[in-house]
Amino acid sequence: MSTSFRRRHFAGGAVGTLALGLTGLACAPQAIHTNESRRELSMSDQRIDPYTWPHKSLRRLLFDVTTWAGSVDVESASAMRELRDGVFSALDVVDAHAKHEETFLHPVLATKLPDFVRELDDEHRASRREVEELRQLLGAAVESESTSQRKEASLTFYRAVGRFVGDYLEHLDVEEAALPTYWARFSAEELAEVMRRFHVSRGPADAILDLERMLPALTPFERNELLLRMHASAPPDALRAACAAARRVLDAGAFARLEACIGVP
Ligand SMILES: [Fe+2]
């Protein structure tokens, strides 16, 4: 896996995510001083959103994978192996995300929206099949015996991953479009319980890896909101670990902005 790709997406080297999705907190310096932020705060208050932030993280990951696949040096066996490792790790994240939704969110949704959950499960099954095909296509490209075969197989993979990302973006959009229905049909407590069970299932190390992948994909306002939520609810050690993660994955300017908001311990 290339160093830059690993740094961007796998700073600690593992997979996972559903979400850290309670909105409603905002940074004092940046949020409370503007009417727009006040309005955003009140609109988002009490809404549990299991999708938007982890989906941002997934989009960023898949866009990077696609760009990498289109620009890799196909004449270099080592560059192709790096691409394979990076893509396989990214696909592990995609699979894990679906598994988290199916384990924690879908059973609750199915109590009131069974047909919709069946649709989502079907899409997850199709996505898993496509992911497996992508692994096989890329594996074949890496194992090609001649450079000309590798060029052709790599282009075939690149086009396939582009099609997959196109389909996957639609899936993410279907899920996010359902959020108002969730908020209308389920109480904040029911959705909060989904998130609580998910977070309990993630050990501290996995939670930090989720955070490392998510923070760079969020807006500064969202990063503040996420860390302020931790500030309000997590033990000091967890907050310190989260801030250290933010320092690792954000550029200096973005981290300074976060630090000014939350008062990094
Ligand atoms: Fe999904």
Side-chain angles (χ1 to χ4, degrees), residues 4-260:
S4 60
F5 183 79
R6 188 187 302 114
R7 198 181 305 123
R8 273 174 69 80
H9 299 287
F10 299 94
V15 301
T17 69
L18 180 62
L20 294 148
L22 172 66
T23 56
L25 293 163
C27 176
Q30 290 177 16
I32 294 174
H33 291 173
T34 69
N35 287 335
E36 187 181 348
S37 295
R38 269 197 212 101
R39 184 164 50 79
E40 189 171 344
L41 176 61
S42 62
M43 284 172 63
S44 63
D45 198 22
Q46 298 301 311
R47 287 181 172 174
I48 309 292
D49 180 349
Y51 290 142
T52 301
W53 293 354
H55 285 185
K56 281 191 167 193
S57 173
L58 284 163
R59 288 183 180 100
R60 176 175 179 266
L61 178 64
L62 291 172
F63 294 159
D64 275 5
V65 157
T66 307
T67 303
W68 189 6
S71 57
V72 65
D73 179 1
V74 297
E75 293 174 284
S76 163
S78 63
M80 288 297 292
R81 284 194 297 271
E82 281 189 1
L83 174 69
R84 179 192 57 198
D85 293 348
V87 169
F88 281 16
S89 295
L91 297 178
D92 286 344
V93 175
V94 172
D95 280 341
H97 177 72
K99 185 75 182 162
H100 293 151
E101 288 179 345
E102 291 162 8
T103 302
F104 297 101
L105 181 60
H106 289 192
V108 173
L109 298 181
T111 61
K112 295 177 186 172
L113 304 167
D115 292 342
F116 183 62
V117 169
R118 266 192 292 277
E119 255 177 61
L120 295 182
D121 286 340
D122 285 346
E123 291 187 8
H124 283 187
R125 270 190 289 278
S127 166
R128 281 199 184 89
R129 281 194 299 273
E130 290 172 36
V131 162
E132 190 49 42
E133 286 166 14
L134 290 177
R135 291 183 196 276
Q136 290 174 9
L137 285 174
L138 183 54
V142 171
E143 299 302 323
S144 296
E145 291 182 3
S146 70
T147 303
S148 66
Q149 284 175 333
R150 196 185 297 145
K151 282 180 182 171
E152 194 174 326
S154 297
L155 191 54
T156 298
F157 169 74
Y158 171 68
R159 288 173 174 148
V161 81
R163 286 194 301 275
F164 170 76
V165 172
D167 291 343
Y168 195 72
L169 291 176
E170 286 189 24
H171 170 70
L172 299 181
D173 195 51
V174 166
E175 290 179 328
E176 290 172 13
L179 284 169
T181 304
Y182 298 176
W183 294 329
R185 302 289 301 277
F186 297 90
S187 68
E189 289 73 24
E190 286 174 301
L191 296 175
E193 177 61 13
V194 168
M195 304 315 301
R196 191 196 65 75
R197 291 183 55 240
F198 167 68
H199 291 308
V200 166
S201 79
R202 305 291 283 164
D206 284 336
I208 288 298
L209 293 168
D210 294 347
L211 198 60
E212 286 178 341
R213 197 159 33 244
M214 193 179 298
L215 281 171
L218 303 183
T219 66
F221 183 93
E222 291 168 331
R223 288 180 202 134
N224 292 344
E225 191 171 279
L226 174 49
L227 268 292
L228 281 171
R229 177 185 168 225
M230 292 194 70
H231 203 301
S233 61
D237 281 356
L239 181 63
R240 267 191 291 276
C243 291
R247 192 189 292 274
R248 283 194 294 277
V249 298
L250 298 177
D251 63 41
F255 182 75
R257 193 165 171 183
L258 186 66
E259 189 175 32

